[in-house]
Amino acid sequence: MENNLDLETIAMTLVGNSGEGRSLAYEALNEAKKGNFEKAEQLLKESQKRILAAHDIQTQLICNEANGNKTEMCLLMVHAQDHLMTSILAKELITELIEIYKVK
């Protein structure tokens, strides 16, 4: 994590990546409902990339804190963490739902 990034930028990058990941997962679900499983898989891969980008930022924040460089906790950072966790959960559940659509 670059030291020159301010907390607001970090939080908004988390929100942006995780939100995009969640949106792509829901797009994948919509494609699966139509039977477009190749497109759904492609969207899930893109979703995973975005969520991983957000998760990498979170991991860097955790490592920084473990090294004694605490991150200021504010409502925006809590919001960003919430976005990431709900995006991870949504993608996992949507992946399972798509598998169910495949067997129908």
Side-chain angles (χ1 to χ4, degrees):
M1 174 111 2
E2 294 184 31
N3 293 333
N4 62 349
L5 286 180
D6 64 297
L7 187 62
E8 186 176 301
T9 302
I10 293 167
M12 293 312 294
T13 302
L14 271 168
V15 168
N17 280 316
S18 59
E20 181 67 17
R22 186 173 55 246
S23 293
L24 287 164
Y26 277 104
E27 284 181 45
L29 180 57
N30 285 329
E31 290 299 326
K33 287 177 182 178
K34 298 180 218 172
N36 299 331
F37 296 111
E38 278 186 44
K39 180 68 174 173
E41 289 301 319
Q42 177 188 11
L43 288 163
L44 280 179
K45 285 179 185 176
E46 289 300 312
S47 169
Q48 183 65 17
K49 286 179 190 176
R50 295 298 229 139
I51 290 172
L52 280 177
H55 190 264
D56 286 345
I57 294 168
Q58 180 190 51
T59 300
Q60 289 174 14
L61 289 168
I62 292 168
C63 288
N64 282 345
E65 188 159 319
N67 290 327
N69 303 317
K70 291 199 176 246
T71 301
E72 177 189 337
M73 270 299 115
C74 63
L75 187 56
L76 185 57
M77 187 55 74
V78 171
H79 178 66
Q81 295 298 315
D82 182 50
H83 259 274
L84 177 56
M85 292 191 64
T86 57
S87 296
I88 291 169
L89 178 60
K91 191 206 160 272
E92 289 172 352
L93 289 171
I94 287 168
T95 299
E96 292 301 316
L97 285 170
I98 288 172
E99 289 304 311
I100 292 169
Y101 275 107
K102 283 180 181 177
V103 235
K104 281 184 150 185

